[in-house]
Amino acid sequence: MKRFRRTLASRRPSHAQADKMLIRGPDYLRQMANKLLDALVQGATMHGNVTLESLKQLVEAMKTSPDYDHFYRASYDGLLKVIDEDNRRGARVNAFGRLLVHPLDVLFAEEKLDRRLIGNYFFFVRSLFGDDVDVMAEEAAALAEEIRQAQGGNLDWAAFYADPRAKKIFFRVMVRVMRAFRVFESRREWVMKVMQHDPTAVGLSSNVYVERPFDGQALPFGDREFYLFFNGLIRPILRLGKEDVALFKEATGEDPRPLAENFLEELEMYRPRAA
């Protein structure tokens, strides 16, 4: 039994080793469980002829002996780091993703658009920006964290959306979306296919994915959804106040009104009567 305790003690991870194990939480838990199981097997091997009773003694020693406290403390510290990293990764998805979806919140809340389309929307944006999406996601996450800290740890999303820096990020995305439709019909056909696709994971950045179950069928995105979706994104640009128009020009180098008017004029050709 003492030899088994020494075996487990030799497997205690240092803080440096714990830092290297900063991966997804479930994977980290599996690593910790595997270390304990390996130690159990090695201890049982050292014990000689292993009976059910001796195996129970080994297991009880792992449960109760203070010799293992350091291992559990180090594992707990490592798990907290994993959780913190997951939270940071989630903040990046949450801030940039929520910024992109914000104009469509009412349509999703009223179930006029299927929430499963959000992942495809993220894919569409990534297809336009490539790795620049990662830069914007980091900018959005840093801004959200700044606002959260200033508010004592509680993030006011309304304050985030209203921040000029967040608006600039959003305006940059909208300009790229409108520019992508310069040949409207061909781009529309591609977007329809993208939005109807039913993937199990859609990347918002190079290492962040939105995962969801596979339904095995095309998502509901026809002429009605196409109009509602892009009208919801672009039409508010026509209602920008003077300060926001200046922000738009500063962020993109474009005058928002003619750009949005040209896009919406094309979009009206696909407006369903009931939309």
Side-chain angles (χ1 to χ4, degrees):
M1 189 68 67
K2 290 181 180 179
R3 295 172 66 187
F4 172 70
R5 291 174 182 171
R6 287 196 299 268
T7 299
L8 183 56
S10 68
R11 292 175 177 268
R12 297 170 182 164
S14 66
H15 290 294
Q17 290 172 325
D19 288 340
K20 294 180 180 179
M21 291 186 277
L22 293 182
I23 53 178
R24 302 295 295 183
D27 295 332
Y28 181 81
L29 290 174
R30 182 183 293 275
Q31 286 186 5
M32 293 300 97
N34 288 345
K35 286 181 179 293
L36 290 173
L37 291 172
D38 288 344
L40 176 62
V41 171
Q42 188 170 349
T45 302
M46 292 179 176
H47 196 271
N49 295 327
V50 180
T51 63
L52 179 59
E53 185 60 30
S54 62
L55 184 60
K56 287 181 178 179
Q57 292 176 5
L58 291 173
V59 171
E60 287 303 316
M62 293 180 63
K63 291 180 179 179
T64 61
S65 175
D67 292 345
Y68 313 128
D69 288 350
H70 179 80
F71 174 84
Y72 296 127
R73 282 196 299 270
S75 299
Y76 178 71
D77 290 342
L79 184 59
L80 288 180
K81 292 178 181 178
V82 172
I83 293 172
D84 181 63
E85 179 63 23
D86 277 355
N87 287 338
R88 291 176 182 274
R89 189 158 38 239
R92 182 164 61 247
V93 175
N94 205 22
F96 184 54
R98 289 186 67 154
L99 182 62
L100 296 184
V101 174
H102 177 56
L104 305 173
D105 281 345
V106 173
L107 293 174
F108 286 120
E110 295 178 353
E111 298 185 348
K112 292 181 179 179
L113 291 174
D114 192 316
R115 285 191 175 276
R116 292 174 299 169
L117 296 170
I118 292 174
N120 293 18
Y121 174 29
F122 292 160
F123 174 80
F124 171 53
V125 172
R126 168 159 282 280
S127 73
L128 298 180
F129 283 91
D131 290 342
D132 287 346
V133 164
D134 300 334
V135 177
M136 292 188 294
E138 292 292 347
E139 290 176 1
L143 174 57
E145 179 62 17
E146 178 184 321
I147 294 173
R148 187 185 71 82
Q149 292 288 350
Q151 296 174 341
N154 296 315
L155 177 56
D156 181 353
W157 284 106
F160 172 76
Y161 300 138
D163 192 285
R165 292 165 293 180
K167 290 181 178 181
K168 284 184 177 182
I169 296 173
F170 181 74
F171 292 156
R172 284 157 54 192
V173 174
M174 289 304 100
V175 164
R176 189 71 65 90
V177 168
M178 288 185 282
R179 285 174 176 167
F181 278 87
R182 281 180 172 168
V183 183
F184 201 94
E185 181 58 29
S186 61
R187 178 60 70 175
R188 176 183 177 276
E189 291 177 0
W190 180 81
V191 168
M192 295 290 283
K193 292 178 181 178
V194 167
M195 299 300 285
Q196 290 170 358
H197 183 53
D198 192 14
T200 55
V202 177
L204 176 56
S205 68
S206 59
N207 60 351
V208 179
Y209 295 87
V210 177
E211 298 182 5
R212 55 184 176 74
F214 176 65
D215 289 338
Q217 59 185 2
L219 296 183
F221 198 84
D223 287 341
R224 170 186 170 277
E225 289 78 15
F226 176 80
Y227 179 84
L228 288 174
F229 190 92
F230 285 100
N231 186 68
L233 284 178
I234 305 303
R235 191 164 297 278
I237 293 175
L238 294 181
R239 300 190 291 269
L240 293 179
K242 185 177 180 180
E243 291 183 358
D244 284 343
V245 168
L247 277 177
F248 193 105
K249 292 179 178 179
E250 181 182 343
T252 68
E254 297 272 7
D255 186 344
R257 189 169 188 84
L259 199 63
E261 285 177 343
N262 290 338
F263 180 92
L264 292 170
E265 182 180 350
E266 294 275 5
L267 183 65
E268 282 299 311
M269 297 175 60
Y270 302 93
R271 178 174 187 162
R273 293 179 182 178

